[in-house]
């Protein structure tokens, strides 16, 4: 495999990359300020932390709507349909094969940006954790105006737990970006849009210009 | 990077910034300082014209242009015009010293069964020492004549002393002393024309000195409020609004708005917009229940937290207040004589006649749910001496819609109780048979309880008690209001004792925190080991 040619394909569109970095910025800010509100440490001061948290939280809710719109109008939502096909081989790769220099069992392509493990993880996060975090956050924010829907203690506990799960995700996610061809190739991919893959299929001439680079 | 790409990047950054800025303007205008909070606007409007006007000049009133020989005569002169004043006043608690308008109900009131943990009881107005603060001439209590000047004269002149002198001098017929009597009468004549609506000094003469001295009782009421600056009290500050007490303690037929023993000052907080004739006694009256800037998180607090809780960060900020009074120590003698020991702040920490004291300054309040009512344990109520007896304590809990978390001064002490009847006792203090003369507690109790008509078994001991004072004066300027983290903090939250609710920053679920952090640190450990593994196997690469 080592002699296989590495090529670049254009995987992430401009909006997608923009959204990825904006959302990551917002979520990191929310985790940092949220944990201060939680009482884990002192950084900005409680009041400032609350103001930043509420402001970014509400912005995120609004911007997320645009993302959902994009997801459905472009059909990109299909990228998140879970599959068990090859799931096991991906798990096997990360727990064993990677140490032996084996190639990744899945090659990214325009039609399948995420491997089966990623699909599952991202679906869980985008369809479960994030919406629940948004709803609990919003109810937390509007608590005084809708007393009694859910007691604050329950809202806060769910909100805190998911915040820590997202921090967990962030750790793993950041680490996984280093598992590309070089340590930074995945990150570079999300910045420029061009992701490195092994050349697998023959590409027609007309196709190379727009989507692949040698 | 091509110039075109660079341009696009810049445009994106500008667009994102613009979005956040417009959002900020739309939703978080509160963060800007320009606009004034609704509560301030309303309150300023409500007290815009503070000058009161009158159609009378008391220096021109014929009835007052007389040589008075007694206080009662002056009152007669007042009543010759203000025909209903005394009739009205006789019905108020300031006169009866009873909480109920019904004279046969003597349960609550200084003249009734009420006790505290200071000088304990008024002994049905038989303790003449207390009558210094009754609004009658010559400490006669309800048997006497109303002394209008106590509240309505601003001269500061000592009328009682003057009349005493006149009486003494007029007994001999020396022309020189006759001259002096004339001089005194001239002074009296001048002093009585200084008629006023009650000033802070008038009210403070009794209310700043409750419990037997400056600042003893309340903690938020002492002589520092006679001429406070606005740092001490934004409302009364002479460099601020310069309110008199009656600006908020509004009055109807001489009944002055305020809490009376168990009864709250108002049943429900209402703003003047909701009820323009409501007393101005609550903060909400003038400031409304959404006093802070639009959309401010602070407005979300007002259904649970009282204004006072944040806006009176500490009490007794200028003069110290008494926090502890131990009657068990009273009665010790030095060389056979009663004595006094002074301590910090130049205040007595021991007095043979009263026992041991502790004073504090800049005190952080204790916080309780309060709907404005207070319990009141009287000399006729059964107590449990095995526990600290709450002589007075706030009423309310979080399910009560009128209750708020409210700051209190808790005065603690030890005072006598009847070991057999299990009731607090009411020793007589002043006078011939009072403790301050005889230093015989048993006899003082015997005599004192008799004035109230409550039997005494003859066996007493001391019990620890608390007495709660709502802290509501000494409102600090808004920049000195509490920071969020005085309460929203894990350790040493001011509201540590307010449980049964979730307070962000103070509370957490230990279980959830452990699960969450285990997952985070588990992930860290996992990726660390995985990374090490990759490093040593070099991803299986040879080179
Ligand atoms: C990735 C997303 C988010 C994370 C990681 C996060 C994290 C946190 C954490 C850890 C807390 C402290 C909880 C506690 O101890 O009680 C918190 C509080 C809070 N969050 Fe979030 N949050 C997120 C999104 C949101 C959103 C979308 C909103 C909606 C506007 C929101 C609104 C709030 C509010 C209102 C509080 C309570 C602040 C206060 O005490 O006033 N959060 N958040």
């Amino acid at each position: 495999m080592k002699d296989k040619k590495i090529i670049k394909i254009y995987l992430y569109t401009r909006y997608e990359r923009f959204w990825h970095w904006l959302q990551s910025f917002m979520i990191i800010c929310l985790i940092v300020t949220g944990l201060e509100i939680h009482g884990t440490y002192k950084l900005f001061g409680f009041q400032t932390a609350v103001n930043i948290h509420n402001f970014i939280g509400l912005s995120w809710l609004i911007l997320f709507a645009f993302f959902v719109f994009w997801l459905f109008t472009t059909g990109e939502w299909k990228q998140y349909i879970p599959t068990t096909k090859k799931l096991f081989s991906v798990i096997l790769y990360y727990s064993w094969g990677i140490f032996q220099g084996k190639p990744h069992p899945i090659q990214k392509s325009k039609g399948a940006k995420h491997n089966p493990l990623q699909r599952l993880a991202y679906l869980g996060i985008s369809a479960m954790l994030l919406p629940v975090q948004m709803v609990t956050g919003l109810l937390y924010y509007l608590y005084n105006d809708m007393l009694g829907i859910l007691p604050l203690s329950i809202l806060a506990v769910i909100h805190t737990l998911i915040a820590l799960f997202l921090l967990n995700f962030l750790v793993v996610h950041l680490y996984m970006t280093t598992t590309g061809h070089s340590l930074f190739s995945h990150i570079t991919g999300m910045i420029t849009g061009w992701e490195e893959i092994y050349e697998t299929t023959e590409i027609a001439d007309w196709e190379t210009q727009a989507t692949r680079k040698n | 990077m091509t110039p075109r790409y660079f341009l696009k990047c810049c445009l994106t950054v500008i667009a994102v910034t613009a979005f956040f800025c417009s959002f900020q303007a739309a939703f978080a205008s509160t963060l800007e300082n320009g606009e004034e909070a609704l509560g301030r606007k309303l309150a300023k409007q409500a007290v815009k014209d503070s000058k009161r006007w009158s159609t009378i000049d008391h220096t021109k009133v014929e009835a007052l242009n007389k040589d008075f020989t007694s206080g009662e005569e002056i009152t007669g002169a007042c009543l010759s015009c203000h025909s209903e004043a005394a009739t009205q006043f006789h019905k108020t608690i300031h006169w009866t010293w009873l909480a109920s308008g019904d004279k046969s109900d003597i349960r609550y009131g200084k003249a009734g069964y009420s006790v505290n943990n200071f000088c304990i009881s008024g002994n049905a107005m038989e303790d003449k020492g207390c009558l210094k603060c009754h609004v009658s001439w010559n400490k006669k209590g309800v048997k006497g004549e109303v002394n209008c000047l106590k509240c309505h004269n601003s001269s500061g002149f000592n009328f009682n002393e003057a009349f005493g002198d006149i009486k003494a001098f007029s007994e001999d017929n020396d022309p020189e002393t006759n001259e002096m009597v004339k001089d005194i009468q001239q002074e009296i004549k001048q002093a009585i024309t200084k008629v006023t609506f009650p000033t802070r000094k008038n009210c403070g003469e009794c209310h700043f000195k409750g419990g037997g001295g400056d600042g003893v009782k309340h903690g938020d009421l002492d002589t520092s409020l006679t001429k406070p600056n606005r740092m001490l009290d934004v409302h009364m500050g002479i460099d601020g609004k310069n309110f008199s007490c009656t600006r908020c303690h509004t009055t109807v037929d001489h009944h002055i708005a305020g809490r009376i023993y168990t009864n709250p000052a108002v049943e429900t907080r209402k703003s003047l917009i909701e009820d323009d004739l409501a007393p101005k006694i609550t903060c909400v009256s003038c400031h409304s229940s959404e006093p802070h800037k639009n959309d401010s998180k602070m407005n979300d607090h007002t259904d649970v937290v009282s204004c006072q809780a944040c806006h009176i960060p500490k009490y007794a900020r200028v003069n110290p207040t008494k926090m502890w009074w131990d009657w068990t120590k009273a009665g010790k003698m030095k060389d056979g004589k009663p004595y006094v020991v002074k301590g910090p702040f130049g205040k007595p920490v021991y007095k043979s006649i009263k026992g041991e004291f502790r004073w504090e300054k800049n005190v952080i309040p204790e916080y309780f749910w309060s709907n404005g009512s207070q319990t009141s344990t009287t000399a006729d109520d059964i107590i449990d001496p095995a526990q600290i007896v709450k002589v007075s304590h706030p009423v309310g809990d979080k399910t009560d819609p009128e209750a708020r978390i409210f700051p209190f001064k808790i005065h603690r002490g030890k005072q006598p109780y009847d070991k057999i009847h299990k009731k607090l006792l009411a020793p007589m203090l002043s006078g011939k048979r009072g403790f301050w003369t005889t230093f015989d507690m048993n006899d003082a109790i015997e005599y004192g309880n008799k004035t109230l008509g409550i039997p005494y078994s003859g066996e007493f001991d001391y019990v620890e008690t608390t007495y709660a004072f709502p802290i509501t004066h000494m409102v600090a300027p808004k920049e000195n209001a509490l920071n969020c983290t005085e309460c929203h903090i894990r350790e040493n939250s001011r509201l540590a004792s307010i449980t049964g609710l979730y307070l962000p920053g103070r509370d957490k679920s230990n279980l959830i925190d452990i699960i969450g952090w285990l997952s985070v640190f588990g992930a860290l450990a996992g990726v660390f080991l995985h990374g090490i593994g990759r490093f040593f196997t070099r991803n299986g690469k040879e080179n």
Side-chain angles (χ1 to χ4, degrees), chain B residues 98-216:
Chain B
L98 291 170
S100 163
D102 175 5
K103 277 202 189 98
S104 62
D105 179 3
I106 59 167
R107 189 164 151 75
Y108 298 118
K110 250 187 234 305
Y113 295 150
S114 285
V115 290
N116 59 30
N117 57 4
F118 296 87
C119 285
I120 304 181
S121 166
N123 299 103
M125 290 199 185
E126 289 303 320
D127 192 328
K128 300 298 172 201
C130 307
L131 289 178
K132 190 166 65 186
C133 274
H134 190 260
V135 198
S136 54
W137 286 104
N138 305 316
K139 299 188 182 176
K140 288 209 181 107
V142 286
K143 298 184 197 106
E145 197 72 60
V146 178
N147 180 351
C148 311
L149 305 182
K150 262 206 167 143
C151 310
H152 289 291
N153 189 279
S154 63
S155 68
F157 188 76
N158 191 333
F159 291 95
N160 277 320
E161 197 181 87
F163 286 126
D165 289 349
I166 290 177
K167 209 171 164 210
F169 290 150
S170 57
E171 267 153 25
D172 58 10
N173 275 333
D174 183 8
E176 215 169 284
T177 41
N178 276 347
E179 256 330 284
M180 279 164 79
V181 167
K182 281 223 174 83
D183 280 352
I184 297 173
Q185 269 168 341
Q186 197 54 38
E187 280 176 41
I188 294 176
K189 214 187 280 182
Q190 259 171 18
I192 49 175
T193 58
K194 301 243 163 23
V195 174
T196 181
F197 285 114
T199 63
R200 289 191 300 272
K201 197 162 185 303
N202 291 110
C203 306
E205 205 50 53
C206 294
H207 291 281
F208 293 165
K209 301 174 182 174
D214 187 13
V216 170

Side-chain angles (χ1 to χ4, degrees), chain A residues 91-127:
Chain A
I91 294 175
L92 203 65
Y93 167 72
Y94 282 118
S95 51
W96 193 243
I98 189 168
F99 302 115
Q100 297 174 322
K102 294 239 175 81
H104 199 289
I106 306 288
Q107 283 304 317
K108 288 176 191 290
S109 74
K110 198 75 188 139
K113 293 183 294 197
H114 310 313
N115 68 49
L117 190 61
Q118 277 179 309
R119 280 188 183 215
L120 213 56
Y122 295 167
L123 180 70
I125 285 164
S126 299

Side-chain angles (χ1 to χ4, degrees), chain B residues 127-409:
Chain B
D127 192 328
K128 300 298 172 201
C130 307
L131 289 178
K132 190 166 65 186
C133 274
H134 190 260
V135 198
S136 54
W137 286 104
N138 305 316
K139 299 188 182 176
K140 288 209 181 107
V142 286
K143 298 184 197 106
E145 197 72 60
V146 178
N147 180 351
C148 311
L149 305 182
K150 262 206 167 143
C151 310
H152 289 291
N153 189 279
S154 63
S155 68
F157 188 76
N158 191 333
F159 291 95
N160 277 320
E161 197 181 87
F163 286 126
D165 289 349
I166 290 177
K167 209 171 164 210
F169 290 150
S170 57
E171 267 153 25
D172 58 10
N173 275 333
D174 183 8
E176 215 169 284
T177 41
N178 276 347
E179 256 330 284
M180 279 164 79
V181 167
K182 281 223 174 83
D183 280 352
I184 297 173
Q185 269 168 341
Q186 197 54 38
E187 280 176 41
I188 294 176
K189 214 187 280 182
Q190 259 171 18
I192 49 175
T193 58
K194 301 243 163 23
V195 174
T196 181
F197 285 114
T199 63
R200 289 191 300 272
K201 197 162 185 303
N202 291 110
C203 306
E205 205 50 53
C206 294
H207 291 281
F208 293 165
K209 301 174 182 174
D214 187 13
V216 170
K217 245 188 193 174
H218 285 267
D220 65 338
L221 287 175
D222 59 49
T223 55
S224 66
L225 288 177
T226 311
K227 283 185 181 155
N229 59 17
R230 63 180 287 280
M231 293 308 284
L232 179 61
D233 192 299
V234 271
H235 300 108
M236 294 191 264
I238 50 177
D239 50 349
K241 292 277 160 215
N242 201 7
F243 280 10
S244 63
C245 308
T246 49
R247 200 75 184 83
C248 303
H249 293 265
T250 45
T251 305
V252 176
D253 291 346
H254 272 101
H255 286 284
I256 297 175
R259 180 179 59 89
I260 293 182
Y261 290 88
T262 57
N263 295 338
V266 290
E267 295 288 341
T268 49
R269 295 170 186 78
K270 273 191 186 155
S271 76
L272 296 175
I273 294 171
E274 293 161 285
D275 179 357
D276 73 331
L277 296 180
K280 295 193 184 120
I281 192 82
T282 65
C283 310
V284 170
S285 311
C286 295
H287 291 283
S288 86
S289 53
E290 289 192 355
H292 307 97
K293 282 178 188 166
N294 251 353
D295 286 329
S296 162
K297 187 69 200 166
M298 256 83 86
N299 281 336
D300 281 350
H301 285 66
T302 58
D303 59 336
V304 177
V305 184
S306 66
C307 309
Q308 289 90 335
C310 300
H311 288 276
I312 309 177
K314 288 177 179 173
Y315 60 87
R317 296 206 293 275
V318 174
N319 294 347
T321 187
K322 197 175 276 187
M323 301 300 290
W324 169 257
W325 181 329
D326 183 353
W327 275 101
T328 62
K329 308 272 169 62
K332 284 187 222 162
M333 298 289 156
K334 227 182 220 165
D335 309 324
K337 278 195 214 118
Y339 65 99
V340 175
V341 183
K342 292 239 163 128
F345 316 116
K347 291 287 186 182
V349 291
Y350 181 77
K351 270 186 175 177
S352 300
I353 58 168
K354 293 181 175 178
E356 189 186 80
F357 310 133
R358 221 167 29 234
W359 297 78
E360 277 175 42
K361 226 173 118 170
N362 282 317
V363 195
I364 293 178
E366 294 177 43
Y367 300 87
F368 299 96
W369 285 103
S370 163
N371 62 16
S373 301
Q374 307 234 145
T375 64
S376 182
T377 307
T378 71
D380 203 28
D381 293 322
I382 306 291
I383 59 161
D384 175 7
Q387 281 173 352
I388 295 176
V389 177
K390 291 172 178 162
V391 180
S392 173
H393 200 74
V395 177
D397 58 58
K398 68 176 175 130
T399 60
D400 179 344
E402 284 304 318
R404 301 285 184 279
I405 296 167
F406 204 98
F408 284 88
K409 168 188 167 178

